[in-house]
Amino acid sequence: MIRTLFLIYGIAVLATVGLAQYRGWSLNRVDEVLNVPKSVRDNPGSYRSVYGSYHHYTGGK
Amino acid sequence: MSSSGPAPPGTPQVKSLNCPSCGATLTVRSLGYAVTIVCESCHCILDAQDPRLQILQKFKAATDEDPPLIPLGTRGSIRGTAYEAVGFQRRTIHVDGIPYSWHEYVLFNPFKGFRYLTEYNGHWNDVSMLRSLPDVSPGGSSLTYLGETYKRFQTAQAGTSYVLGEFPWQVRQGETAEVSDYISPPRVISSEKTGNEVTWSMGEYMSGRDIWRAFKLPGEPPAPIGVYENQPSPLSANVKIVWSLVALFLALLLALLVASYSMARDEQVFEQSVEFNTNVKSEASFVTDVFELKGHTSNVELTTAAKVNNNWIYLNYALINQDTGHAYNFGREVSYYHGYDEDGSWSEGSTKDTVTVPSVPPGNYYLRVEPESDYNHGTIYYTITLKRDVPQASFFALGVLALLLPAALITWRSLNFEHLRWAESDYGGT
């Protein structure tokens, strides 16, 4: 019973890792936006991503 | 187990006699084999081999003081052989002044002789006499029997505190013996020393459910309490199975890792060096040239290397598909600070940052970049590098963790089971 369960579990782990590798999954977070206008290439300042209000580190020790 | 050993097989004789003390009817189920009989009414211990049933001992006990869970006269099948419960005794040891009692049942088959069952807190053992002597190690910490090693678990003085029915030995209420148990779950070998006589028996753990099934007893058996000395661990076999599978899957994971690293494109698709003048308050955002991401849907690794010195730069990135308008937005900071104080030199941060954008379909892309930093800190030089289909070791590390975690959990539970077992031992165990 435990052999079968762990076999299934191990295969699932390997399949997940393989799929993650093939599809290029990442632990980093990005925001996806659809239909960005083509005018961004001509006027880059017209586009503001959600990261524009990020609080910057300005410290040091 | 005090016993003179199994009697020779023969034809059973069941006979009704009368107690010479109280006159109550005695049903003798192992006549010709029993050595003593205990009257259930007046608790006289009678000599079964004497036609006049001489009274050997009389002890005080309330009727039904300790009713057997298997009523005497009940027939059942143990390992394919029919037995009848003919005798019952309660035995007690004292540890640190606390009494611990267990029950022993005498089973009889006219062709196979006597066999025994013991019960303690819902844990059962099927017991039979050893046919040869075990090899006890010097010091007595272990013994070997039929090639199997048994570890000493407990030694105590056991007293017989209650008896009922028929016994193939001269049973007495109040008699004591030094009992020692050696375990190799699911088996236990016990020695009983009375005077100069030592008898050896072997028990094998049985569940209450099996006993109930064997004797067709009504209801449910008492639930076992705690971990018994020779109770087999339900997990020890699983531990070996799981760790062998973990080894197999780790080897497969390593093979997958090697295959991924050898088959990944890991291709640089874009690189651009940029200057960011922080002294100028103007729109700093820009877009890059278009570059192609080839192959199947996969990741894109973006590295920012900035020449920051006690300074920082923050970059709002948007990786935009020129054809579909699908954008991946993310922000990255590169900061590097260093100095010297009373504790010595110190540094924080790095001049390089790497981020992986997941699952980006193939197509023509460009980057929109918007740098930020403190005003009037001069020019910051930085380089943006993009690579396509880069192997990620993090998922393999997570895979290793995912495989090890359940195996570690099962191992811990198994160790805990053994800890509970040996917590009841006089000798601590291993």
Side-chain angles (χ1 to χ4, degrees):
Chain A
M1 179 65 175
I2 190 82
R3 183 190 297 273
T4 307
L5 283 176
F6 202 82
L7 264 175
I8 293 168
Y9 175 74
I11 290 167
V13 168
L14 283 184
T16 304
V17 171
L19 185 65
Q21 194 60 55
Y22 182 77
R23 296 286 294 178
W25 294 357
S26 168
L27 300 176
N28 294 122
R29 190 177 72 88
V30 297
D31 279 354
E32 294 188 40
V33 178
L34 299 176
N35 301 319
V36 173
K38 291 185 184 297
S39 60
V40 171
R41 280 202 64 76
D42 300 321
N43 185 9
S46 66
Y47 183 80
R48 284 286 180 271
S49 73
V50 293
Y51 287 89
S53 58
Y54 181 81
H55 179 71
H56 308 295
Y57 173 74
T58 56
K61 187 171 178 180
Chain B
M1 188 70 54
S2 298
S3 169
S4 57
T11 307
Q13 296 179 31
V14 179
K15 191 173 180 181
S16 287
L17 303 171
N18 291 101
C19 175
S21 174
C22 67
T25 302
L26 300 171
T27 303
V28 187
R29 301 174 180 89
S30 58
L31 193 66
Y33 302 94
V35 175
T36 46
I37 304 170
V38 183
C39 174
E40 293 183 34
S41 299
C42 67
H43 302 287
C44 275
I45 299 175
L46 311 170
D47 186 348
Q49 295 179 325
D50 180 356
R52 293 172 297 151
L53 295 176
Q54 182 192 352
I55 299 172
L56 300 173
Q57 186 188 29
K58 187 169 185 176
F59 67 96
K60 283 187 178 177
T63 303
D64 291 336
E65 171 188 310
D66 197 353
L69 292 171
I70 305 172
L72 299 189
T74 307
R75 292 182 178 182
S77 178
I78 301 288
R79 303 190 195 286
T81 302
Y83 284 94
E84 184 172 2
V86 298
F88 171 75
Q89 66 173 339
R90 182 181 67 219
R91 305 184 75 188
T92 305
I93 62 170
H94 289 81
V95 178
D96 297 330
I98 302 169
Y100 296 90
S101 296
W102 71 94
H103 300 110
E104 295 181 359
Y105 295 81
V106 181
L107 307 181
F108 177 68
N109 174 292
F111 301 100
K112 298 282 185 178
F114 291 96
R115 197 178 190 92
Y116 309 90
L117 290 175
T118 66
E119 182 271 332
Y120 174 73
N121 273 351
H123 300 277
W124 294 80
N125 266 290
D126 169 30
V127 179
S128 54
M129 308 310 293
L130 288 191
R131 296 181 183 278
S132 59
L133 285 176
D135 183 16
V136 182
S137 69
S141 62
S142 66
L143 63 78
T144 306
Y145 185 72
L146 298 179
E148 192 169 354
T149 301
Y150 294 73
K151 293 177 186 169
R152 185 167 61 179
F153 190 85
Q154 185 166 270
T155 299
Q157 285 288 330
T160 303
S161 49
Y162 184 77
V163 288
L164 214 56
E166 300 158 44
F167 296 85
W169 70 90
Q170 287 279 354
V171 73
R172 294 286 188 280
Q173 193 268 346
E175 70 183 356
T176 60
E178 184 185 273
V179 295
S180 295
D181 288 347
Y182 299 80
I183 64 163
S184 176
R187 286 178 282 279
V188 55
I189 287 182
S190 302
S191 74
E192 295 206 10
K193 187 177 179 185
T194 311
N196 292 327
E197 184 186 344
V198 181
T199 57
W200 294 90
S201 59
M202 174 184 280
E204 185 160 350
Y205 190 86
M206 289 184 77
S207 70
R209 200 168 296 277
D210 287 341
I211 298 291
W212 251 238
R213 199 177 295 123
F215 286 89
K216 296 182 174 60
L217 295 170
E220 292 289 317
I225 299 169
V227 175
Y228 193 55
E229 58 181 11
N230 66 323
Q231 183 179 355
S233 168
L235 298 163
S236 60
N238 292 346
V239 169
K240 290 173 188 165
I241 291 169
V242 165
W243 278 109
S244 61
L245 287 174
V246 165
L248 170 71
F249 283 122
L250 285 179
L252 291 173
L253 200 60
L254 183 65
L256 186 62
L257 177 74
V258 172
S260 295
Y261 271 79
S262 61
M263 292 169 67
R265 297 178 74 93
D266 201 10
E267 173 190 27
Q268 181 174 312
V269 292
F270 175 81
E271 185 174 54
Q272 183 174 342
S273 294
V274 187
E275 295 177 12
F276 174 41
N277 188 347
T278 63
N279 300 336
V280 179
K281 279 190 170 178
S282 62
E283 178 59 49
S285 60
F286 65 94
V287 293
T288 67
D289 292 337
V290 174
F291 49 87
E292 185 183 6
L293 297 180
K294 296 175 184 172
H296 56 82
T297 296
S298 185
N299 61 28
V300 172
E301 187 182 89
L302 186 148
T303 301
T304 310
K307 292 180 178 174
V308 282
N309 187 4
N310 284 326
N311 199 4
W312 62 273
I313 183 170
Y314 184 82
L315 296 134
N316 291 293
Y317 284 112
L319 176 65
I320 304 170
N321 186 311
Q322 179 185 240
D323 303 319
T324 64
H326 191 157
Y328 301 85
N329 293 337
F330 51 97
R332 305 302 293 180
E333 180 181 294
V334 183
S335 63
Y336 180 65
Y337 292 88
H338 61 93
Y340 193 87
D341 61 14
E342 65 273 13
D343 297 328
S345 61
W346 59 270
S347 67
E348 284 183 7
S350 169
T351 58
K352 197 173 180 181
D353 173 78
T354 298
V355 61
T356 302
V357 184
S359 301
V360 181
N364 295 311
Y365 288 82
Y366 63 93
L367 276 173
R368 181 218 176 242
V369 187
E370 183 182 350
E372 295 176 34
S373 188
D374 287 332
Y375 177 64
N376 219 9
H377 269 65
T379 300
I380 299 174
Y381 299 91
Y382 63 97
T383 302
I384 304 165
T385 308
L386 258 79
K387 292 173 85 176
R388 174 65 159 166
D389 193 17
V390 181
Q392 298 292 303
S394 54
F395 282 102
F396 290 97
L398 287 176
V400 170
L401 269 180
L403 289 173
L404 291 179
L405 206 63
L409 186 65
I410 289 171
T411 305
W412 177 78
R413 288 191 62 195
S414 175
L415 291 174
N416 191 47
F417 188 93
E418 292 303 319
H419 172 76
L420 291 174
R421 180 202 307 284
W422 286 98
E424 300 298 320
S425 168
D426 296 343
Y427 302 101
T430 54

Short mmCIF file of all heavy atoms in Angstrom, two decimals, chain B residues 48-96:
data_model
loop_
_atom_site.label_atom_id
_atom_site.label_comp_id
_atom_site.label_asym_id
_atom_site.label_seq_id
_atom_site.Cartn_x
_atom_site.Cartn_y
_atom_site.Cartn_z
N ALA B 48 -6.04 -32.45 40.39
CA ALA B 48 -6.81 -33.11 39.33
C ALA B 48 -6.37 -34.54 39.09
O ALA B 48 -7.09 -35.32 38.44
CB ALA B 48 -6.69 -32.31 38.04
N GLN B 49 -5.20 -34.89 39.58
CA GLN B 49 -4.71 -36.24 39.35
C GLN B 49 -5.07 -37.18 40.49
O GLN B 49 -4.75 -38.36 40.46
CB GLN B 49 -3.19 -36.19 39.13
CG GLN B 49 -2.85 -35.42 37.84
CD GLN B 49 -1.37 -35.31 37.59
OE1 GLN B 49 -0.59 -35.18 38.52
NE2 GLN B 49 -0.99 -35.35 36.33
N ASP B 50 -5.73 -36.61 41.49
CA ASP B 50 -6.20 -37.40 42.63
C ASP B 50 -7.68 -37.70 42.41
O ASP B 50 -8.48 -36.77 42.24
CB ASP B 50 -5.98 -36.59 43.92
CG ASP B 50 -6.46 -37.36 45.14
OD1 ASP B 50 -7.02 -38.47 44.98
OD2 ASP B 50 -6.29 -36.83 46.25
N PRO B 51 -8.09 -38.99 42.39
CA PRO B 51 -9.51 -39.31 42.17
C PRO B 51 -10.43 -38.65 43.20
O PRO B 51 -11.60 -38.38 42.90
CB PRO B 51 -9.55 -40.84 42.30
CG PRO B 51 -8.14 -41.28 42.07
CD PRO B 51 -7.25 -40.19 42.55
N ARG B 52 -9.89 -38.34 44.37
CA ARG B 52 -10.73 -37.71 45.42
C ARG B 52 -10.66 -36.18 45.36
O ARG B 52 -11.23 -35.49 46.19
CB ARG B 52 -10.29 -38.19 46.79
CG ARG B 52 -10.57 -39.68 47.02
CD ARG B 52 -9.94 -40.15 48.30
NE ARG B 52 -8.48 -40.02 48.22
CZ ARG B 52 -7.68 -39.81 49.26
NH1 ARG B 52 -8.19 -39.69 50.46
NH2 ARG B 52 -6.38 -39.70 49.09
N LEU B 53 -9.92 -35.64 44.35
CA LEU B 53 -9.76 -34.18 44.18
C LEU B 53 -9.32 -33.52 45.49
O LEU B 53 -10.01 -32.66 46.05
CB LEU B 53 -11.05 -33.53 43.67
CG LEU B 53 -11.51 -33.95 42.26
CD1 LEU B 53 -12.85 -33.28 41.95
CD2 LEU B 53 -10.48 -33.60 41.21
N GLN B 54 -8.18 -33.93 45.95
CA GLN B 54 -7.66 -33.38 47.21
C GLN B 54 -7.52 -31.86 47.11
O GLN B 54 -7.07 -31.33 46.10
CB GLN B 54 -6.29 -34.00 47.51
CG GLN B 54 -5.69 -33.52 48.82
CD GLN B 54 -4.22 -33.93 48.95
OE1 GLN B 54 -3.71 -34.69 48.14
NE2 GLN B 54 -3.58 -33.44 49.98
N ILE B 55 -7.91 -31.17 48.15
CA ILE B 55 -7.79 -29.70 48.19
C ILE B 55 -6.34 -29.33 48.45
O ILE B 55 -5.76 -29.71 49.48
CB ILE B 55 -8.71 -29.10 49.28
CG1 ILE B 55 -10.17 -29.45 48.98
CG2 ILE B 55 -8.52 -27.59 49.37
CD1 ILE B 55 -11.14 -29.07 50.09
N LEU B 56 -5.76 -28.59 47.51
CA LEU B 56 -4.36 -28.18 47.66
C LEU B 56 -4.25 -26.78 48.26
O LEU B 56 -3.31 -26.47 48.97
CB LEU B 56 -3.67 -28.17 46.28
CG LEU B 56 -3.63 -29.53 45.55
CD1 LEU B 56 -3.08 -29.36 44.14
CD2 LEU B 56 -2.79 -30.53 46.33
N GLN B 57 -5.20 -25.92 47.92
CA GLN B 57 -5.17 -24.55 48.44
C GLN B 57 -6.56 -23.96 48.31
O GLN B 57 -7.33 -24.30 47.40
CB GLN B 57 -4.17 -23.69 47.64
CG GLN B 57 -3.97 -22.30 48.21
CD GLN B 57 -3.14 -21.41 47.28
OE1 GLN B 57 -3.15 -21.58 46.07
NE2 GLN B 57 -2.42 -20.46 47.88
N LYS B 58 -6.88 -23.06 49.21
CA LYS B 58 -8.14 -22.33 49.12
C LYS B 58 -7.81 -20.85 49.29
O LYS B 58 -7.12 -20.47 50.23
CB LYS B 58 -9.11 -22.79 50.21
CG LYS B 58 -10.50 -22.21 50.08
CD LYS B 58 -11.48 -22.88 51.01
CE LYS B 58 -12.89 -22.36 50.78
NZ LYS B 58 -13.87 -23.06 51.60
N PHE B 59 -8.24 -20.06 48.35
CA PHE B 59 -7.93 -18.62 48.46
C PHE B 59 -9.21 -17.82 48.37
O PHE B 59 -10.21 -18.27 47.81
CB PHE B 59 -6.92 -18.18 47.41
CG PHE B 59 -7.43 -18.23 45.99
CD1 PHE B 59 -7.94 -17.11 45.38
CD2 PHE B 59 -7.37 -19.41 45.25
CE1 PHE B 59 -8.40 -17.15 44.08
CE2 PHE B 59 -7.83 -19.45 43.96
CZ PHE B 59 -8.34 -18.32 43.36
N LYS B 60 -9.13 -16.63 48.93
CA LYS B 60 -10.32 -15.78 48.97
C LYS B 60 -10.37 -14.92 47.71
O LYS B 60 -9.41 -14.26 47.36
CB LYS B 60 -10.28 -14.86 50.19
CG LYS B 60 -10.63 -15.55 51.49
CD LYS B 60 -10.75 -14.55 52.62
CE LYS B 60 -11.16 -15.26 53.91
NZ LYS B 60 -11.21 -14.31 55.05
N ALA B 61 -11.48 -15.00 47.05
CA ALA B 61 -11.71 -14.14 45.89
C ALA B 61 -13.20 -14.05 45.67
O ALA B 61 -13.93 -15.02 45.89
CB ALA B 61 -11.04 -14.71 44.65
N ALA B 62 -13.64 -12.89 45.29
CA ALA B 62 -15.05 -12.73 44.99
C ALA B 62 -15.36 -13.43 43.68
O ALA B 62 -14.54 -13.46 42.78
CB ALA B 62 -15.39 -11.24 44.88
N THR B 63 -16.53 -14.04 43.62
CA THR B 63 -16.94 -14.66 42.36
C THR B 63 -17.03 -13.57 41.30
O THR B 63 -17.51 -12.48 41.56
CB THR B 63 -18.31 -15.34 42.55
OG1 THR B 63 -18.18 -16.27 43.61
CG2 THR B 63 -18.74 -16.06 41.29
N ASP B 64 -16.51 -13.87 40.13
CA ASP B 64 -16.47 -12.90 39.03
C ASP B 64 -15.63 -11.68 39.37
O ASP B 64 -15.90 -10.58 38.91
CB ASP B 64 -17.90 -12.45 38.62
CG ASP B 64 -18.65 -13.59 37.97
OD1 ASP B 64 -18.00 -14.51 37.44
OD2 ASP B 64 -19.89 -13.56 38.01
N GLU B 65 -14.63 -11.90 40.25
CA GLU B 65 -13.73 -10.78 40.58
C GLU B 65 -13.02 -10.30 39.33
O GLU B 65 -12.81 -9.11 39.13
CB GLU B 65 -12.70 -11.25 41.62
CG GLU B 65 -11.60 -10.23 41.87
CD GLU B 65 -10.49 -10.81 42.76
OE1 GLU B 65 -10.85 -11.35 43.81
OE2 GLU B 65 -9.31 -10.70 42.39
N ASP B 66 -12.62 -11.25 38.51
CA ASP B 66 -11.87 -10.90 37.30
C ASP B 66 -12.32 -11.83 36.18
O ASP B 66 -11.64 -12.79 35.84
CB ASP B 66 -10.37 -11.07 37.58
CG ASP B 66 -9.52 -10.35 36.55
OD1 ASP B 66 -10.08 -9.85 35.55
OD2 ASP B 66 -8.30 -10.28 36.75
N PRO B 67 -13.49 -11.56 35.60
CA PRO B 67 -14.02 -12.48 34.59
C PRO B 67 -13.14 -12.53 33.35
O PRO B 67 -12.70 -11.49 32.86
CB PRO B 67 -15.40 -11.89 34.25
CG PRO B 67 -15.33 -10.47 34.66
CD PRO B 67 -14.35 -10.38 35.78
N PRO B 68 -12.84 -13.74 32.86
CA PRO B 68 -12.00 -13.84 31.66
C PRO B 68 -12.71 -13.23 30.44
O PRO B 68 -13.92 -13.35 30.30
CB PRO B 68 -11.83 -15.35 31.46
CG PRO B 68 -12.28 -15.98 32.73
CD PRO B 68 -13.24 -15.04 33.38
N LEU B 69 -11.93 -12.55 29.61
CA LEU B 69 -12.49 -12.01 28.36
C LEU B 69 -12.88 -13.15 27.42
O LEU B 69 -13.81 -13.02 26.63
CB LEU B 69 -11.48 -11.09 27.67
CG LEU B 69 -11.17 -9.78 28.39
CD1 LEU B 69 -9.99 -9.06 27.74
CD2 LEU B 69 -12.40 -8.88 28.42
N ILE B 70 -12.15 -14.28 27.52
CA ILE B 70 -12.53 -15.49 26.79
C ILE B 70 -13.11 -16.44 27.84
O ILE B 70 -12.35 -17.03 28.63
CB ILE B 70 -11.33 -16.16 26.09
CG1 ILE B 70 -10.61 -15.16 25.19
CG2 ILE B 70 -11.76 -17.37 25.29
CD1 ILE B 70 -9.30 -15.69 24.61
N PRO B 71 -14.42 -16.58 27.92
CA PRO B 71 -15.01 -17.44 28.95
C PRO B 71 -14.47 -18.88 28.85
O PRO B 71 -14.28 -19.40 27.74
CB PRO B 71 -16.51 -17.39 28.65
CG PRO B 71 -16.69 -16.13 27.86
CD PRO B 71 -15.44 -15.95 27.08
N LEU B 72 -14.22 -19.50 29.99
CA LEU B 72 -13.71 -20.86 29.98
C LEU B 72 -14.74 -21.78 29.32
O LEU B 72 -15.95 -21.66 29.53
CB LEU B 72 -13.41 -21.33 31.41
CG LEU B 72 -12.35 -20.49 32.16
CD1 LEU B 72 -11.97 -21.17 33.46
CD2 LEU B 72 -11.11 -20.26 31.30
N GLY B 73 -14.25 -22.67 28.50
CA GLY B 73 -15.14 -23.54 27.74
C GLY B 73 -15.34 -23.05 26.30
O GLY B 73 -15.86 -23.78 25.47
N THR B 74 -14.89 -21.81 26.01
CA THR B 74 -15.03 -21.28 24.65
C THR B 74 -14.02 -21.95 23.74
O THR B 74 -12.86 -22.13 24.10
CB THR B 74 -14.79 -19.76 24.64
OG1 THR B 74 -15.64 -19.15 25.59
CG2 THR B 74 -15.04 -19.17 23.25
N ARG B 75 -14.49 -22.35 22.58
CA ARG B 75 -13.60 -22.99 21.62
C ARG B 75 -13.29 -22.04 20.48
O ARG B 75 -14.14 -21.27 20.03
CB ARG B 75 -14.23 -24.27 21.07
CG ARG B 75 -14.34 -25.35 22.12
CD ARG B 75 -14.90 -26.63 21.58
NE ARG B 75 -14.95 -27.65 22.63
CZ ARG B 75 -15.37 -28.89 22.43
NH1 ARG B 75 -15.78 -29.26 21.24
NH2 ARG B 75 -15.37 -29.76 23.42
N GLY B 76 -12.05 -22.14 20.03
CA GLY B 76 -11.64 -21.28 18.92
C GLY B 76 -10.53 -21.96 18.15
O GLY B 76 -10.07 -23.05 18.49
N SER B 77 -10.09 -21.30 17.10
CA SER B 77 -9.06 -21.86 16.24
C SER B 77 -7.85 -20.93 16.23
O SER B 77 -7.95 -19.78 15.83
CB SER B 77 -9.61 -22.03 14.82
OG SER B 77 -8.60 -22.52 13.97
N ILE B 78 -6.72 -21.47 16.71
CA ILE B 78 -5.47 -20.72 16.69
C ILE B 78 -4.54 -21.38 15.69
O ILE B 78 -4.19 -22.55 15.84
CB ILE B 78 -4.80 -20.70 18.09
CG1 ILE B 78 -5.73 -20.07 19.13
CG2 ILE B 78 -3.46 -19.99 18.05
CD1 ILE B 78 -5.90 -18.58 19.02
N ARG B 79 -4.17 -20.64 14.69
CA ARG B 79 -3.28 -21.13 13.62
C ARG B 79 -3.77 -22.47 13.05
O ARG B 79 -3.00 -23.42 12.89
CB ARG B 79 -1.84 -21.23 14.12
CG ARG B 79 -1.33 -19.90 14.66
CD ARG B 79 0.13 -19.89 14.96
NE ARG B 79 0.48 -18.75 15.79
CZ ARG B 79 0.56 -17.50 15.38
NH1 ARG B 79 0.31 -17.20 14.14
NH2 ARG B 79 0.87 -16.53 16.22
N GLY B 80 -5.06 -22.52 12.83
CA GLY B 80 -5.64 -23.68 12.17
C GLY B 80 -5.95 -24.85 13.08
O GLY B 80 -6.42 -25.88 12.62
N THR B 81 -5.68 -24.73 14.37
CA THR B 81 -5.94 -25.83 15.30
C THR B 81 -7.01 -25.40 16.31
O THR B 81 -6.94 -24.29 16.84
CB THR B 81 -4.65 -26.23 16.05
OG1 THR B 81 -3.66 -26.59 15.09
CG2 THR B 81 -4.89 -27.39 17.00
N ALA B 82 -7.95 -26.29 16.56
CA ALA B 82 -9.03 -25.97 17.50
C ALA B 82 -8.53 -26.10 18.94
O ALA B 82 -7.85 -27.07 19.28
CB ALA B 82 -10.20 -26.92 17.28
N TYR B 83 -8.81 -25.11 19.72
CA TYR B 83 -8.45 -25.12 21.14
C TYR B 83 -9.66 -24.72 21.96
O TYR B 83 -10.55 -24.00 21.48
CB TYR B 83 -7.30 -24.15 21.43
CG TYR B 83 -5.94 -24.67 20.99
CD1 TYR B 83 -5.43 -24.33 19.74
CD2 TYR B 83 -5.18 -25.49 21.81
CE1 TYR B 83 -4.19 -24.79 19.32
CE2 TYR B 83 -3.95 -25.96 21.41
CZ TYR B 83 -3.45 -25.61 20.16
OH TYR B 83 -2.23 -26.08 19.77
N GLU B 84 -9.62 -25.15 23.21
CA GLU B 84 -10.68 -24.76 24.14
C GLU B 84 -10.03 -24.06 25.32
O GLU B 84 -9.00 -24.53 25.84
CB GLU B 84 -11.44 -26.00 24.62
CG GLU B 84 -12.61 -25.67 25.53
CD GLU B 84 -13.46 -26.92 25.83
OE1 GLU B 84 -13.09 -28.01 25.36
OE2 GLU B 84 -14.46 -26.79 26.54
N ALA B 85 -10.60 -22.94 25.72
CA ALA B 85 -10.08 -22.21 26.88
C ALA B 85 -10.44 -22.98 28.13
O ALA B 85 -11.62 -23.21 28.41
CB ALA B 85 -10.66 -20.80 26.94
N VAL B 86 -9.44 -23.43 28.89
CA VAL B 86 -9.72 -24.26 30.08
C VAL B 86 -9.22 -23.62 31.37
O VAL B 86 -9.67 -23.99 32.45
CB VAL B 86 -9.10 -25.68 29.93
CG1 VAL B 86 -9.70 -26.41 28.74
CG2 VAL B 86 -7.58 -25.61 29.83
N GLY B 87 -8.28 -22.70 31.29
CA GLY B 87 -7.75 -22.10 32.51
C GLY B 87 -7.49 -20.62 32.34
O GLY B 87 -7.32 -20.13 31.21
N PHE B 88 -7.43 -19.93 33.44
CA PHE B 88 -7.26 -18.47 33.40
C PHE B 88 -6.55 -18.04 34.68
O PHE B 88 -6.88 -18.50 35.78
CB PHE B 88 -8.64 -17.81 33.31
CG PHE B 88 -8.64 -16.32 33.48
CD1 PHE B 88 -8.19 -15.49 32.46
CD2 PHE B 88 -9.09 -15.73 34.66
CE1 PHE B 88 -8.21 -14.11 32.61
CE2 PHE B 88 -9.10 -14.36 34.81
CZ PHE B 88 -8.66 -13.54 33.79
N GLN B 89 -5.55 -17.20 34.55
CA GLN B 89 -4.91 -16.67 35.75
C GLN B 89 -4.52 -15.22 35.53
O GLN B 89 -4.32 -14.77 34.39
CB GLN B 89 -3.67 -17.48 36.12
CG GLN B 89 -2.53 -17.42 35.13
CD GLN B 89 -1.27 -18.10 35.66
OE1 GLN B 89 -1.11 -18.29 36.86
NE2 GLN B 89 -0.38 -18.49 34.76
N ARG B 90 -4.46 -14.49 36.63
CA ARG B 90 -4.00 -13.10 36.60
C ARG B 90 -2.66 -13.06 37.31
O ARG B 90 -2.50 -13.61 38.39
CB ARG B 90 -4.99 -12.17 37.31
CG ARG B 90 -4.56 -10.69 37.26
CD ARG B 90 -5.56 -9.82 37.99
NE ARG B 90 -5.55 -10.09 39.41
CZ ARG B 90 -6.64 -10.13 40.18
NH1 ARG B 90 -7.83 -9.93 39.65
NH2 ARG B 90 -6.55 -10.39 41.47
N ARG B 91 -1.72 -12.41 36.69
CA ARG B 91 -0.40 -12.31 37.29
C ARG B 91 -0.04 -10.83 37.41
O ARG B 91 -0.44 -10.01 36.58
CB ARG B 91 0.63 -13.06 36.45
CG ARG B 91 0.20 -14.51 36.24
CD ARG B 91 1.22 -15.29 35.51
NE ARG B 91 2.35 -15.62 36.38
CZ ARG B 91 3.48 -16.16 35.95
NH1 ARG B 91 3.63 -16.40 34.68
NH2 ARG B 91 4.45 -16.46 36.79
N THR B 92 0.73 -10.54 38.42
CA THR B 92 0.99 -9.13 38.75
C THR B 92 2.47 -8.93 39.05
O THR B 92 3.09 -9.76 39.73
CB THR B 92 0.16 -8.70 39.98
OG1 THR B 92 -1.22 -8.97 39.70
CG2 THR B 92 0.33 -7.22 40.29
N ILE B 93 3.01 -7.85 38.51
CA ILE B 93 4.35 -7.42 38.92
C ILE B 93 4.23 -6.04 39.54
O ILE B 93 3.25 -5.32 39.31
CB ILE B 93 5.34 -7.37 37.73
CG1 ILE B 93 4.88 -6.36 36.67
CG2 ILE B 93 5.52 -8.75 37.12
CD1 ILE B 93 5.93 -6.09 35.60
N HIS B 94 5.21 -5.68 40.33
CA HIS B 94 5.24 -4.35 40.94
C HIS B 94 6.48 -3.62 40.47
O HIS B 94 7.60 -4.13 40.61
CB HIS B 94 5.24 -4.45 42.47
CG HIS B 94 3.92 -4.92 43.02
ND1 HIS B 94 3.55 -6.26 43.05
CD2 HIS B 94 2.86 -4.22 43.52
CE1 HIS B 94 2.33 -6.36 43.55
NE2 HIS B 94 1.89 -5.14 43.86
N VAL B 95 6.26 -2.46 39.90
CA VAL B 95 7.37 -1.62 39.46
C VAL B 95 7.23 -0.29 40.17
O VAL B 95 6.21 0.39 40.02
CB VAL B 95 7.36 -1.42 37.91
CG1 VAL B 95 8.50 -0.50 37.48
CG2 VAL B 95 7.45 -2.76 37.20
N ASP B 96 8.25 0.07 40.96
CA ASP B 96 8.22 1.30 41.76
C ASP B 96 6.95 1.35 42.62
O ASP B 96 6.34 2.41 42.77
CB ASP B 96 8.30 2.54 40.86
CG ASP B 96 9.61 2.61 40.09
OD1 ASP B 96 10.62 2.10 40.62
OD2 ASP B 96 9.62 3.15 38.98
#
